[in-house]
Amino acid sequence: MSEKKYQTDSGIEIKQLYTPESLPATYNTATEQPGKYPFTRGIQPDMYRGKLWTMRQYAGFSTAEESNKRYHYLLSQGVMGLSVAFDLPTQIGYDSDHELAEGEVGKTGVAIDSLEDMERLFKDIKLEDVSTSMTINATGYILLSLYVALAKKQGADLSKIAGTIQNDILKEYAARGTYIYPPKPSMRIITDIFEWCSAELPKWNTISISGYHIREAGSTAVQEIAFTLSNGKAYVQAALAKGLDINVFGKRLSFFFNAHNNLFEEVAKFRAARRMWAKMMKDLGATDPKAMMLRFHTQTGGSTLTAQQPKNNISRVTIQTLAAVLGGTQSLHTNGYDEALSLPTEEAARIALRTQQVVGFESGAAETVDPLAGSYFVEALTAEVEEKAWQLVEKIDNIGGSVSAIEQGFIQNEIARSAYDYQRQVESGEKIIVGVNKFTVKEEEPVPVFKIDDSIRLIQSERLAALKAGRDQEKTAFCLHKIETAAKDGSNLMPHVIDAVENLCTLGEIADVLRKVFGEYR
């Protein structure tokens, strides 16, 4: 009988015992300090002793008013930062009254069509006082403009406005699919945002380079960091080509990773990612240590949640929370146990937040820096994850970088192969999923689910009609014309888009102007 093989989710073989000899001769973190290059041990010298990670809960559904109620509830429960989910029409640049929006308005997130919706979304929330993360990509430039317009309306000091837009279009082509424009104009919009924010919104993270969706699409932990860091490199090269200063824009780049159940591999992944990014940025010309630091938000793994015995997901999310914290995350969202069934109920969202609070205040995991450092197993795994990820980065570089690798389907094919392997292991029983292919029950108690009313599209459409009837049509037309001119002549789009949303142009109208100039990616 062949001896059972133990391996991580990335196929790295796990030895029975680790000793100092298990570490490669070239790898030595014993003298490394947190807060210093290459940041393996964390980006702050005191890590969570100085400041706990930002506890976020991702929320957005139905109308802006309904989402606003959830935000006030979460803030009352101890959330430190808001994280906004947008519905599919908003993500792909269609107003709620567009025929392609039918059946999708307010479903996967909140519907935002105009500045009036943004005001409803943040009613009685001072933007100067919260940090807001917005999961938005193809229309990120419009949502950021709406946020800035609202901050100005509130009389906020823009130099104090903090938050993040995801704004990572490359992973949309590779894994997620909510793109609008072709890659080259999309990269141009992103560098316009970098440039504008460097001058006007200094505390804003202009991009959250996302491995989360790459992992959700079926990649391994190694692929997640290799593909994400390669995408990051492509954004940096595009910004450098535009003449931007890497030591300025480099400080505002952030990352977004997934946390899965293989605790030690996940911790090793986060540590390896910091080392790799520091080296990449140094090689690209960064000299300021802050521009070499990999700062990241983590979300627990949506694809690991099961519809069967959903309360088991509370344990999964707890393990994933620990992985993120032991790996040194800056910000964290924990999933609700019911999210394989529906958007999270208020109860599920509260339990998810309490999970972070228990780890933060009761577990002791936050009391010392990089607690797993020096474990022969974790250090050997960090070295191996890093080595395997560099091999993939090198392959992508040889193809011509991330944009070429996506255009040629290399990244998509690698993810698809890993997803297939994982599914095969689950179906064969080689990989045990508790409650799914082992330890199952015949009858399950029903779990209450969160339902979205289909009448939301009608509400949003009526609001759009009233908005359009009451605004200055000449001004609207002029603002849209200025965006078109800037898109054609290469000048920065951001000031014109902000002007347009302030004059009540809608998200769909602005996205359509750029569709006309740039075309759509098929």
Side-chain angles (χ1 to χ4, degrees):
M1 200 173 105
S2 68
E3 200 183 316
K4 185 182 171 186
K5 264 180 110 172
Y6 291 86
Q7 51 185 31
T8 70
D9 292 344
S10 298
I12 294 170
E13 196 172 336
I14 300 171
K15 298 175 186 172
Q16 183 172 311
L17 179 69
Y18 285 80
T19 65
E21 286 66 48
S22 308
L23 289 168
T26 52
Y27 176 90
N28 180 17
T29 57
T31 57
E32 284 184 16
Q33 291 298 312
K36 291 209 160 56
Y37 182 90
F39 310 107
T40 315
R41 305 202 57 194
I43 60 167
Q44 303 295 349
D46 56 355
M47 280 308 284
Y48 303 132
R49 281 189 170 206
K51 179 178 179 276
L52 275 184
W53 64 92
T54 303
M55 295 183 188
R56 295 188 185 277
Q57 279 310 106
Y58 187 45
F61 52 86
S62 178
T63 59
E65 289 91 337
E66 288 302 312
S67 293
N68 175 265
K69 282 181 203 163
R70 178 68 66 92
Y71 296 155
H72 280 285
Y73 171 74
L74 290 168
L75 288 164
S76 77
Q77 295 299 308
V79 149
M80 304 167 183
L82 298 174
S83 205
V84 186
F86 297 97
D87 73 359
L88 204 53
T90 304
Q91 292 182 51
I92 52 178
Y94 293 120
D95 288 333
S96 299
D97 59 0
H98 194 285
E99 60 183 4
L100 291 178
E102 191 165 349
E104 292 294 344
V105 177
K107 292 285 171 75
T108 59
V110 63
I112 299 292
D113 295 318
S114 70
L115 184 55
E116 288 183 356
D117 285 334
M118 208 65 166
E119 288 181 74
R120 294 180 189 110
L121 187 65
F122 290 102
K123 187 174 187 287
D124 300 326
I125 296 171
K126 279 185 71 182
L127 301 191
E128 254 189 46
D129 297 342
V130 291
S131 154
T132 303
S133 167
M134 296 191 275
T135 302
I136 196 76
N137 297 283
T139 53
Y141 66 104
I142 306 174
L143 271 302
L144 177 59
S145 298
L146 287 163
Y147 197 82
V148 168
L150 179 59
K152 284 165 74 176
K153 217 170 171 182
Q154 287 186 355
D157 175 353
L158 290 189
S159 70
K160 290 182 182 161
I161 294 295
T164 306
I165 41 172
Q166 194 164 96
N167 196 29
D168 172 9
I169 205 67
L170 291 177
K171 69 95 179 43
E172 294 298 325
Y173 302 119
R176 192 162 170 265
T178 65
Y179 45 74
I180 303 173
Y181 317 113
K184 285 192 173 67
S186 293
M187 293 293 273
R188 174 258 169 108
I189 295 169
I190 287 168
T191 53
D192 277 4
I193 294 168
F194 287 1
E195 183 176 51
W196 186 82
C197 288
S198 289
E200 307 292 336
L201 219 60
K203 284 179 84 174
W204 193 265
N205 296 324
T206 49
I207 193 166
S208 175
I209 304 154
S210 174
Y212 183 83
H213 304 96
I214 289 170
R215 192 69 178 279
E216 289 294 285
S219 83
T220 65
V222 165
Q223 288 171 331
E224 180 190 349
I225 59 168
F227 299 157
T228 307
L229 299 183
S230 286
N231 287 350
K233 190 175 181 178
Y235 293 124
V236 171
Q237 287 167 329
L240 289 171
K242 195 166 183 158
L244 303 184
D245 183 346
I246 193 168
N247 288 320
V248 177
F249 75 79
K251 293 177 193 170
R252 299 319 317 163
L253 305 177
S254 66
F255 287 81
F256 173 24
F257 291 121
N258 209 314
H260 274 218
N261 294 325
N262 195 313
L263 179 72
F264 297 107
E265 181 173 49
E266 294 299 300
V267 173
K269 175 189 82 179
F270 297 131
R271 297 173 89 243
R274 273 195 294 272
R275 287 170 69 78
M276 291 174 73
W277 185 246
K279 185 175 187 323
M280 267 186 190
M281 287 297 272
K282 197 174 194 175
D283 290 349
L284 287 162
T287 52
D288 187 326
K290 283 198 165 139
M292 302 176 206
M293 288 177 181
L294 181 138
R295 297 168 304 119
F296 67 98
H297 169 71
T298 308
Q299 182 174 341
T300 57
S303 61
T304 67
L305 303 179
T306 63
Q308 300 91 329
Q309 301 177 38
K311 286 186 179 166
N312 294 346
N313 293 330
I314 298 172
S315 304
R316 292 184 177 103
V317 169
T318 305
I319 291 168
Q320 295 163 9
T321 301
L322 261 176
V325 169
L326 294 171
T329 194
Q330 276 58 68
S331 158
L332 179 60
H333 161 79
T334 32
N335 289 329
Y337 71 84
D338 54 359
E339 285 188 56
L341 301 164
S342 71
L343 286 167
T345 58
E346 207 166 84
E347 184 214 27
R350 185 177 65 246
I351 290 170
L353 174 61
R354 294 288 181 260
T355 304
Q356 293 200 49
Q357 290 164 336
V358 169
V359 170
F361 298 106
E362 294 185 28
S363 74
E367 288 168 14
T368 188
V369 180
D370 193 20
L372 294 184
S375 147
Y376 304 136
F377 178 35
V378 171
E379 296 292 3
L381 207 45
T382 303
E384 196 151 358
V385 167
E386 183 186 358
E387 186 196 346
K388 285 191 168 0
W390 277 127
Q391 288 165 4
L392 269 176
V393 168
E394 202 177 315
K395 275 186 189 172
I396 292 166
D397 284 346
N398 291 338
I399 293 169
S402 271
V403 179
S404 296
I406 288 164
E407 285 172 345
Q408 292 176 40
F410 170 77
I411 290 176
Q412 297 92 312
N413 291 340
E414 289 286 307
I415 295 170
R417 191 179 302 120
S418 295
Y420 173 79
D421 283 347
Y422 176 83
Q423 196 53 40
R424 183 188 51 73
Q425 286 172 25
V426 171
E427 286 176 16
S428 70
E430 197 182 324
K431 186 161 195 60
I432 292 168
I433 309 294
V434 174
V436 176
N437 62 1
K438 202 159 185 176
F439 315 114
T440 55
V441 290
K442 280 199 169 68
E443 300 278 318
E444 294 212 22
E445 53 178 296
V447 170
V449 294
F450 192 84
K451 286 197 166 63
I452 300 291
D453 193 335
D454 276 326
S455 64
I456 290 153
R457 182 165 185 252
L458 185 64
I459 295 167
Q460 286 296 108
S461 300
E462 285 168 357
R463 285 175 171 175
L464 276 165
L467 172 105
K468 288 176 179 176
R471 67 190 181 181
D472 183 329
Q473 306 302 349
E474 270 183 36
K475 234 180 199 167
T476 307
F478 181 62
C479 287
L480 294 172
H481 171 69
K482 282 203 307 189
I483 293 172
E484 186 177 349
T485 305
K488 286 174 177 168
D489 70 21
S491 54
N492 196 302
L493 288 160
M494 285 300 293
H496 306 297
V497 179
I498 293 166
D499 199 28
V501 299
E502 287 177 328
N503 284 289
L504 302 183
C505 293
T506 70
L507 170 121
E509 288 170 332
I510 295 165
D512 280 347
V513 170
L514 296 194
R515 275 189 180 94
K516 196 165 86 182
V517 179
F518 299 146
E520 289 190 71
Y521 184 70
R522 297 278 180 223

